[in-house]
Amino acid sequence: AKKWINIRKSYGNFYKVPRNQTKLTIMLENLGMNYDGRPHSGLDDSKNIARIAIRMLQDGCDLRVNERIHGGQLMTVSSSVPLEGAPAPQMPRCRN
């Protein structure tokens, strides 16, 4: 793979949150989701990242390739068309 979508980067840009708010457990928590599976399990981490991506798509995010390898170097891929983000996710409120 020479091109991919960095979900942490997409999440931060879309929801307008700082990089320290893009750790997997924090992203899930901010979206009102629990971590499913064992922490640091590659398969479980992948499933949770997929859940975040699905939620972002539901919220209107246009996921695009944002990183690539060129000449052995990691490069950021910038979009020529600016995308509008959504407001930061809010924890679901309990109804009484």
Side-chain angles (χ1 to χ4, degrees):
K2 294 188 179 190
K3 297 186 283 186
W4 60 90
I5 298 170
N6 180 328
I7 290 294
R8 288 181 68 187
K9 190 178 287 187
S10 294
Y11 177 96
N13 290 336
F14 184 68
Y15 292 116
K16 308 290 188 233
V17 297
R19 183 157 172 77
N20 68 353
Q21 293 293 307
T22 62
K23 293 182 176 142
L24 182 56
T25 54
I26 294 172
M27 291 188 293
L28 288 165
E29 182 180 303
N30 288 342
L31 293 171
M33 300 177 188
N34 292 320
Y35 186 92
D36 288 343
R38 295 182 334 260
H40 308 295
S41 160
L43 181 58
D44 291 338
D45 284 353
S46 298
K47 289 177 181 179
N48 284 290
I49 291 166
R51 292 172 55 223
I52 292 168
I54 290 167
R55 172 64 183 274
M56 290 174 66
L57 291 168
Q58 290 170 339
D59 286 349
C61 182
D62 184 15
L63 291 174
R64 299 179 184 186
V65 169
N66 57 15
E67 288 186 349
R68 68 184 176 107
I69 293 287
H70 181 71
Q73 298 291 320
L74 174 65
M75 303 188 77
T76 296
V77 176
S78 61
S79 172
S80 59
V81 179
L83 297 174
E84 282 191 33
Q90 301 294 314
M91 288 292 295
R93 301 197 192 287
C94 294
R95 294 182 187 175
N96 294 333

